[in-house]
Structures are given as C-alpha cells and as structure tokens.
Amino acid sequence: MDKFMEAAIEEAQKGLAEGGIPIGSVIVHNNKIIGRGHNRRVQSGSPILHGEMDAFENAGRQSAQTYRESIIYTTLSPCAMCSGAIILYGISHVVIGENYTFMGEEVLLKSRGISIEVLQNQQCINLMKNFINTKPQLWNEDIGE
C-alpha cells in the first residue's frame, strides 16, 4: 500500500482511539507530508475539523504554488466542506481510500479539473463500516443527517 495512504489511515486510527470519527488525511508536497490530520469534531467540539480540514490546519500557511503542487490523501470521500477547501487551495489530485460507505463531492471535484483516484481500500472500508455500525448516531451527526 502507498505510504501516504498508510499515514492517512494512521491518522484515522488516532481519531478512533481518541473517541472520534475514524477519518484521516495527509497533504503531500514533493513526496513529503506537509500536513496531517484526523476528524476531531468530537475531541475538539468543532463542527469543521474533519480530517481534511485538520490536515490543512496543520499544514499551516503555504504558498498557493505549494498547494497547487500538492496531493491530498483522505481515507473517505471528501464532503462538501472539505471538497470546497480542496478547490479553494487548488489541490490538483485527490487520493481517496474509499467511497463505499460515503460518497462525497467527487463529481464537483472532477468538474473543477481535479483528478480523483479511489482505492476502495479494505482497511478504510472496515474502519468506517465498524464505526457506522457501532456509533450510528455520531456518524449521522457528523454528516448532518
């Protein structure tokens, strides 16, 4: 498996271990992780700290050029908010662990010229399936249902 998706999965597992939602993300520039994060809505009481948003936060201020040259890896298909940040910062490629348990805004991303790679990684699928089965109320709160 790709070392960057492995890093995103590690982030998702951290989130789960902290009592949160197991979604992780890393932002990679020139083959180096510049930002990593995991969903911290529960831990921080934040409505916006999804995995991708946390990775952007932890990447800090970067030049527009750096973001345009970066790839974001995320264990789950990005929601509308996270997709908006990906578009805003000009990320040109998104590697998605899985979209089986949740289909985010992939059509929107593609419509903006962003290339999408979906791995359907079994570890990512299992993390989310187990979480959704054991904590459906928390999952539904996170995705706004």
Side-chain angles (χ1 to χ4, degrees):
M1 183 192 335
D2 183 292
K3 67 181 180 180
F4 298 123
M5 184 52 68
E6 283 181 10
I9 291 169
E10 286 170 15
E11 286 294 323
Q13 291 168 331
K14 276 186 201 174
L16 184 62
E18 294 169 357
I21 299 155
I23 302 167
S25 182
V26 296
I27 299 170
V28 177
H29 181 257
N30 289 339
N31 219 28
K32 179 178 177 273
I33 295 174
I34 61 169
R36 58 173 58 230
H38 53 274
N39 187 302
R40 293 191 303 122
R41 289 184 65 257
V42 173
Q43 303 90 310
S44 299
S46 168
I48 61 168
L49 281 180
H50 286 193
E52 300 90 337
M53 301 301 279
D54 194 38
F56 276 114
E57 177 73 15
N58 291 323
R61 288 179 64 189
Q62 300 289 333
S63 72
Q65 183 69 27
T66 296
Y67 280 127
R68 280 195 300 271
E69 295 170 350
S70 294
I71 299 170
I72 191 165
Y73 290 74
T74 181
T75 58
L76 186 64
S77 186
C79 72
M81 176 179 64
C82 296
S83 294
I86 290 165
I87 292 166
L88 178 68
Y89 290 104
I91 303 270
S92 62
H93 187 71
V94 181
V95 180
I96 298 168
E98 65 104 350
N99 64 8
Y100 174 79
T101 62
F102 176 78
M103 172 60 79
E105 298 294 330
E106 294 176 31
V107 171
L108 172 63
L109 292 169
K110 288 177 186 174
S111 78
R112 298 299 289 264
I114 298 167
S115 65
I116 304 286
E117 183 180 348
V118 182
L119 305 178
Q120 298 303 22
N121 176 283
Q122 196 59 52
Q123 196 173 358
C124 294
I125 293 169
N126 290 344
L127 265 171
M128 286 310 302
K129 280 175 80 173
N130 292 339
F131 178 79
I132 292 166
N133 287 336
T134 58
K135 298 191 176 173
Q137 286 179 303
L138 184 53
W139 170 241
N140 289 331
E141 172 192 319
D142 190 57
I143 60 170
E145 299 213 351

mmCIF file of all heavy atoms in Angstrom, residues 21-23 39-42 46-51 76 79 81 102 128 131 135-145:
data_model
loop_
_atom_site.group_PDB
_atom_site.id
_atom_site.type_symbol
_atom_site.label_atom_id
_atom_site.label_comp_id
_atom_site.label_asym_id
_atom_site.label_seq_id
_atom_site.Cartn_x
_atom_site.Cartn_y
_atom_site.Cartn_z
ATOM 1 N N ILE A 21 -14.225 10.172 15.182
ATOM 2 C CA ILE A 21 -14.649 9.537 13.940
ATOM 3 C C ILE A 21 -13.403 9.162 13.134
ATOM 4 O O ILE A 21 -12.524 9.999 12.931
ATOM 5 C CB ILE A 21 -15.579 10.495 13.172
ATOM 6 C CG1 ILE A 21 -16.815 10.771 14.049
ATOM 7 C CG2 ILE A 21 -15.986 9.936 11.821
ATOM 8 C CD1 ILE A 21 -17.509 12.059 13.760
ATOM 9 N N PRO A 22 -13.292 7.913 12.681
ATOM 10 C CA PRO A 22 -12.051 7.435 12.064
ATOM 11 C C PRO A 22 -11.858 7.849 10.605
ATOM 12 O O PRO A 22 -11.963 7.031 9.688
ATOM 13 C CB PRO A 22 -12.167 5.917 12.209
ATOM 14 C CG PRO A 22 -13.638 5.667 12.109
ATOM 15 C CD PRO A 22 -14.277 6.848 12.810
ATOM 16 N N ILE A 23 -11.558 9.117 10.414
ATOM 17 C CA ILE A 23 -11.258 9.626 9.074
ATOM 18 C C ILE A 23 -9.947 10.398 9.179
ATOM 19 O O ILE A 23 -9.810 11.273 10.040
ATOM 20 C CB ILE A 23 -12.381 10.542 8.554
ATOM 21 C CG1 ILE A 23 -13.713 9.793 8.528
ATOM 22 C CG2 ILE A 23 -12.025 11.070 7.153
ATOM 23 C CD1 ILE A 23 -14.927 10.680 8.334
ATOM 24 N N ASN A 39 -10.273 13.555 11.804
ATOM 25 C CA ASN A 39 -11.521 14.158 12.235
ATOM 26 C C ASN A 39 -11.461 14.353 13.747
ATOM 27 O O ASN A 39 -11.232 13.401 14.492
ATOM 28 C CB ASN A 39 -12.695 13.256 11.839
ATOM 29 C CG ASN A 39 -14.031 13.894 12.095
ATOM 30 O OD1 ASN A 39 -14.348 14.258 13.209
ATOM 31 N ND2 ASN A 39 -14.831 14.024 11.047
ATOM 32 N N ARG A 40 -11.619 15.607 14.181
ATOM 33 C CA ARG A 40 -11.540 15.927 15.610
ATOM 34 C C ARG A 40 -12.788 16.678 16.081
ATOM 35 O O ARG A 40 -12.730 17.435 17.041
ATOM 36 C CB ARG A 40 -10.273 16.756 15.892
ATOM 37 C CG ARG A 40 -9.017 15.956 15.680
ATOM 38 C CD ARG A 40 -7.744 16.596 16.180
ATOM 39 N NE ARG A 40 -7.488 17.905 15.616
ATOM 40 C CZ ARG A 40 -7.341 19.025 16.344
ATOM 41 N NH1 ARG A 40 -7.435 18.999 17.643
ATOM 42 N NH2 ARG A 40 -7.096 20.168 15.739
ATOM 43 N N ARG A 41 -13.891 16.446 15.399
ATOM 44 C CA ARG A 41 -15.147 17.103 15.793
ATOM 45 C C ARG A 41 -15.502 16.789 17.236
ATOM 46 O O ARG A 41 -15.835 17.679 18.010
ATOM 47 C CB ARG A 41 -16.296 16.663 14.886
ATOM 48 C CG ARG A 41 -16.218 17.205 13.487
ATOM 49 C CD ARG A 41 -17.454 16.800 12.681
ATOM 50 N NE ARG A 41 -18.635 17.429 13.252
ATOM 51 C CZ ARG A 41 -19.523 16.799 14.016
ATOM 52 N NH1 ARG A 41 -19.399 15.524 14.278
ATOM 53 N NH2 ARG A 41 -20.555 17.441 14.493
ATOM 54 N N VAL A 42 -15.433 15.524 17.598
ATOM 55 C CA VAL A 42 -15.806 15.100 18.946
ATOM 56 C C VAL A 42 -14.787 15.614 19.956
ATOM 57 O O VAL A 42 -15.139 16.240 20.952
ATOM 58 C CB VAL A 42 -15.906 13.551 19.022
ATOM 59 C CG1 VAL A 42 -16.128 13.085 20.451
ATOM 60 C CG2 VAL A 42 -17.020 13.057 18.106
ATOM 61 N N SER A 46 -15.743 20.729 17.601
ATOM 62 C CA SER A 46 -15.702 21.606 16.432
ATOM 63 C C SER A 46 -16.578 21.080 15.307
ATOM 64 O O SER A 46 -16.508 19.893 14.987
ATOM 65 C CB SER A 46 -14.261 21.707 15.924
ATOM 66 O OG SER A 46 -14.229 22.318 14.651
ATOM 67 N N PRO A 47 -17.356 21.939 14.675
ATOM 68 C CA PRO A 47 -18.167 21.482 13.550
ATOM 69 C C PRO A 47 -17.376 21.383 12.242
ATOM 70 O O PRO A 47 -17.881 20.855 11.265
ATOM 71 C CB PRO A 47 -19.255 22.549 13.436
ATOM 72 C CG PRO A 47 -18.583 23.787 13.924
ATOM 73 C CD PRO A 47 -17.644 23.334 15.012
ATOM 74 N N ILE A 48 -16.142 21.886 12.222
ATOM 75 C CA ILE A 48 -15.408 21.919 10.947
ATOM 76 C C ILE A 48 -14.132 21.093 10.911
ATOM 77 O O ILE A 48 -13.529 20.961 9.846
ATOM 78 C CB ILE A 48 -15.060 23.372 10.531
ATOM 79 C CG1 ILE A 48 -14.180 24.028 11.558
ATOM 80 C CG2 ILE A 48 -16.322 24.164 10.260
ATOM 81 C CD1 ILE A 48 -13.573 25.331 11.100
ATOM 82 N N LEU A 49 -13.713 20.504 12.013
ATOM 83 C CA LEU A 49 -12.451 19.774 11.996
ATOM 84 C C LEU A 49 -12.604 18.344 11.480
ATOM 85 O O LEU A 49 -12.395 17.370 12.195
ATOM 86 C CB LEU A 49 -11.774 19.801 13.367
ATOM 87 C CG LEU A 49 -11.039 21.085 13.674
ATOM 88 C CD1 LEU A 49 -10.400 21.031 15.062
ATOM 89 C CD2 LEU A 49 -9.984 21.415 12.623
ATOM 90 N N HIS A 50 -12.960 18.266 10.206
ATOM 91 C CA HIS A 50 -12.932 16.977 9.513
ATOM 92 C C HIS A 50 -11.464 16.638 9.238
ATOM 93 O O HIS A 50 -10.587 17.484 9.406
ATOM 94 C CB HIS A 50 -13.707 17.063 8.204
ATOM 95 C CG HIS A 50 -15.189 17.097 8.390
ATOM 96 N ND1 HIS A 50 -16.064 16.910 7.344
ATOM 97 C CD2 HIS A 50 -15.969 17.287 9.484
ATOM 98 C CE1 HIS A 50 -17.311 16.983 7.786
ATOM 99 N NE2 HIS A 50 -17.277 17.215 9.078
ATOM 100 N N GLY A 51 -11.204 15.428 8.800
ATOM 101 C CA GLY A 51 -9.821 15.003 8.571
ATOM 102 C C GLY A 51 -9.054 15.912 7.622
ATOM 103 O O GLY A 51 -7.923 16.316 7.902
ATOM 104 N N LEU A 76 -11.601 8.756 3.394
ATOM 105 C CA LEU A 76 -13.001 8.718 2.983
ATOM 106 C C LEU A 76 -13.275 9.828 1.972
ATOM 107 O O LEU A 76 -12.707 10.914 2.073
ATOM 108 C CB LEU A 76 -13.905 8.895 4.211
ATOM 109 C CG LEU A 76 -15.410 8.738 3.999
ATOM 110 C CD1 LEU A 76 -15.758 7.308 3.572
ATOM 111 C CD2 LEU A 76 -16.168 9.096 5.271
ATOM 112 N N CYS A 79 -16.385 15.364 1.902
ATOM 113 C CA CYS A 79 -17.697 16.007 1.960
ATOM 114 C C CYS A 79 -17.649 17.348 1.226
ATOM 115 O O CYS A 79 -16.603 17.773 0.737
ATOM 116 C CB CYS A 79 -18.109 16.223 3.423
ATOM 117 S SG CYS A 79 -17.174 17.538 4.236
ATOM 118 N N MET A 81 -17.794 20.435 2.411
ATOM 119 C CA MET A 81 -16.907 21.403 3.047
ATOM 120 C C MET A 81 -15.445 21.126 2.697
ATOM 121 O O MET A 81 -14.710 22.031 2.297
ATOM 122 C CB MET A 81 -17.087 21.365 4.576
ATOM 123 C CG MET A 81 -16.131 22.271 5.325
ATOM 124 S SD MET A 81 -16.374 22.237 7.115
ATOM 125 C CE MET A 81 -15.968 20.526 7.508
ATOM 126 N N PHE A 102 -19.442 6.196 2.093
ATOM 127 C CA PHE A 102 -19.903 7.579 1.931
ATOM 128 C C PHE A 102 -19.355 8.132 0.630
ATOM 129 O O PHE A 102 -18.145 8.111 0.409
ATOM 130 C CB PHE A 102 -19.430 8.451 3.103
ATOM 131 C CG PHE A 102 -19.783 9.913 2.939
ATOM 132 C CD1 PHE A 102 -21.078 10.366 3.186
ATOM 133 C CD2 PHE A 102 -18.828 10.826 2.526
ATOM 134 C CE1 PHE A 102 -21.400 11.717 3.029
ATOM 135 C CE2 PHE A 102 -19.139 12.176 2.370
ATOM 136 C CZ PHE A 102 -20.426 12.616 2.628
ATOM 137 N N MET A 128 -14.670 2.418 8.606
ATOM 138 C CA MET A 128 -15.928 3.164 8.575
ATOM 139 C C MET A 128 -17.138 2.274 8.831
ATOM 140 O O MET A 128 -18.049 2.665 9.560
ATOM 141 C CB MET A 128 -16.087 3.900 7.239
ATOM 142 C CG MET A 128 -15.197 5.122 7.099
ATOM 143 S SD MET A 128 -15.263 6.264 8.512
ATOM 144 C CE MET A 128 -16.991 6.677 8.555
ATOM 145 N N PHE A 131 -17.342 1.573 12.484
ATOM 146 C CA PHE A 131 -17.715 2.781 13.207
ATOM 147 C C PHE A 131 -19.206 3.085 13.027
ATOM 148 O O PHE A 131 -19.915 3.350 13.996
ATOM 149 C CB PHE A 131 -16.868 3.972 12.760
ATOM 150 C CG PHE A 131 -17.259 5.235 13.455
ATOM 151 C CD1 PHE A 131 -16.841 5.490 14.747
ATOM 152 C CD2 PHE A 131 -18.087 6.158 12.832
ATOM 153 C CE1 PHE A 131 -17.234 6.646 15.407
ATOM 154 C CE2 PHE A 131 -18.477 7.319 13.479
ATOM 155 C CZ PHE A 131 -18.051 7.563 14.775
ATOM 156 N N LYS A 135 -21.594 3.213 16.150
ATOM 157 C CA LYS A 135 -21.956 4.567 16.588
ATOM 158 C C LYS A 135 -22.740 5.316 15.511
ATOM 159 O O LYS A 135 -22.329 6.377 15.038
ATOM 160 C CB LYS A 135 -20.700 5.349 16.967
ATOM 161 C CG LYS A 135 -19.955 4.725 18.130
ATOM 162 C CD LYS A 135 -18.876 5.613 18.668
ATOM 163 C CE LYS A 135 -18.260 4.952 19.887
ATOM 164 N NZ LYS A 135 -17.112 5.682 20.365
ATOM 165 N N PRO A 136 -23.902 4.773 15.123
ATOM 166 C CA PRO A 136 -24.661 5.404 14.036
ATOM 167 C C PRO A 136 -25.105 6.839 14.345
ATOM 168 O O PRO A 136 -25.136 7.683 13.444
ATOM 169 C CB PRO A 136 -25.861 4.472 13.842
ATOM 170 C CG PRO A 136 -25.985 3.710 15.116
ATOM 171 C CD PRO A 136 -24.585 3.586 15.655
ATOM 172 N N GLN A 137 -25.425 7.133 15.594
ATOM 173 C CA GLN A 137 -25.871 8.493 15.927
ATOM 174 C C GLN A 137 -24.742 9.497 15.710
ATOM 175 O O GLN A 137 -24.963 10.579 15.176
ATOM 176 C CB GLN A 137 -26.367 8.564 17.368
ATOM 177 C CG GLN A 137 -27.719 7.916 17.566
ATOM 178 C CD GLN A 137 -28.150 7.992 19.014
ATOM 179 O OE1 GLN A 137 -27.456 7.534 19.913
ATOM 180 N NE2 GLN A 137 -29.313 8.587 19.232
ATOM 181 N N LEU A 138 -23.536 9.130 16.122
ATOM 182 C CA LEU A 138 -22.392 10.027 15.953
ATOM 183 C C LEU A 138 -22.072 10.210 14.469
ATOM 184 O O LEU A 138 -21.803 11.318 14.012
ATOM 185 C CB LEU A 138 -21.179 9.490 16.714
ATOM 186 C CG LEU A 138 -19.933 10.366 16.715
ATOM 187 C CD1 LEU A 138 -20.237 11.782 17.184
ATOM 188 C CD2 LEU A 138 -18.866 9.733 17.587
ATOM 189 N N TRP A 139 -22.148 9.148 13.708
ATOM 190 C CA TRP A 139 -21.903 9.238 12.268
ATOM 191 C C TRP A 139 -22.938 10.139 11.612
ATOM 192 O O TRP A 139 -22.613 11.016 10.837
ATOM 193 C CB TRP A 139 -21.903 7.853 11.624
ATOM 194 C CG TRP A 139 -21.890 7.910 10.125
ATOM 195 C CD1 TRP A 139 -22.836 7.421 9.282
ATOM 196 C CD2 TRP A 139 -20.877 8.492 9.294
ATOM 197 N NE1 TRP A 139 -22.477 7.661 7.986
ATOM 198 C CE2 TRP A 139 -21.282 8.323 7.951
ATOM 199 C CE3 TRP A 139 -19.667 9.136 9.537
ATOM 200 C CZ2 TRP A 139 -20.528 8.772 6.870
ATOM 201 C CZ3 TRP A 139 -18.915 9.593 8.457
ATOM 202 C CH2 TRP A 139 -19.352 9.400 7.148
ATOM 203 N N ASN A 140 -24.204 9.949 11.944
ATOM 204 C CA ASN A 140 -25.261 10.769 11.351
ATOM 205 C C ASN A 140 -25.122 12.234 11.749
ATOM 206 O O ASN A 140 -25.422 13.126 10.960
ATOM 207 C CB ASN A 140 -26.639 10.223 11.728
ATOM 208 C CG ASN A 140 -26.940 8.917 11.020
ATOM 209 O OD1 ASN A 140 -26.460 8.673 9.924
ATOM 210 N ND2 ASN A 140 -27.716 8.067 11.654
ATOM 211 N N GLU A 141 -24.653 12.486 12.958
ATOM 212 C CA GLU A 141 -24.399 13.871 13.377
ATOM 213 C C GLU A 141 -23.291 14.477 12.521
ATOM 214 O O GLU A 141 -23.374 15.621 12.082
ATOM 215 C CB GLU A 141 -23.980 13.883 14.848
ATOM 216 C CG GLU A 141 -23.518 15.234 15.342
ATOM 217 C CD GLU A 141 -22.856 15.143 16.702
ATOM 218 O OE1 GLU A 141 -23.340 14.399 17.573
ATOM 219 O OE2 GLU A 141 -21.834 15.824 16.886
ATOM 220 N N ASP A 142 -22.255 13.705 12.257
ATOM 221 C CA ASP A 142 -21.106 14.217 11.510
ATOM 222 C C ASP A 142 -21.469 14.562 10.076
ATOM 223 O O ASP A 142 -21.007 15.556 9.544
ATOM 224 C CB ASP A 142 -19.956 13.196 11.519
ATOM 225 C CG ASP A 142 -18.679 13.788 10.972
ATOM 226 O OD1 ASP A 142 -18.228 14.813 11.507
ATOM 227 O OD2 ASP A 142 -18.142 13.248 9.990
ATOM 228 N N ILE A 143 -22.298 13.756 9.443
ATOM 229 C CA ILE A 143 -22.636 14.029 8.057
ATOM 230 C C ILE A 143 -23.924 14.819 7.912
ATOM 231 O O ILE A 143 -24.413 15.023 6.813
ATOM 232 C CB ILE A 143 -22.681 12.737 7.192
ATOM 233 C CG1 ILE A 143 -23.726 11.752 7.719
ATOM 234 C CG2 ILE A 143 -21.309 12.094 7.121
ATOM 235 C CD1 ILE A 143 -23.978 10.592 6.789
ATOM 236 N N GLY A 144 -24.464 15.271 9.039
ATOM 237 C CA GLY A 144 -25.589 16.193 9.001
ATOM 238 C C GLY A 144 -26.930 15.572 8.669
ATOM 239 O O GLY A 144 -27.803 16.238 8.124
ATOM 240 N N GLU A 145 -27.124 14.308 8.974
ATOM 241 C CA GLU A 145 -28.414 13.674 8.688
ATOM 242 C C GLU A 145 -29.300 13.691 9.907
ATOM 243 O O GLU A 145 -28.877 13.774 11.006
ATOM 244 C CB GLU A 145 -28.179 12.248 8.191
ATOM 245 C CG GLU A 145 -27.371 12.277 6.921
ATOM 246 C CD GLU A 145 -27.707 11.165 5.968
ATOM 247 O OE1 GLU A 145 -28.454 10.251 6.331
ATOM 248 O OE2 GLU A 145 -27.225 11.210 4.865
#
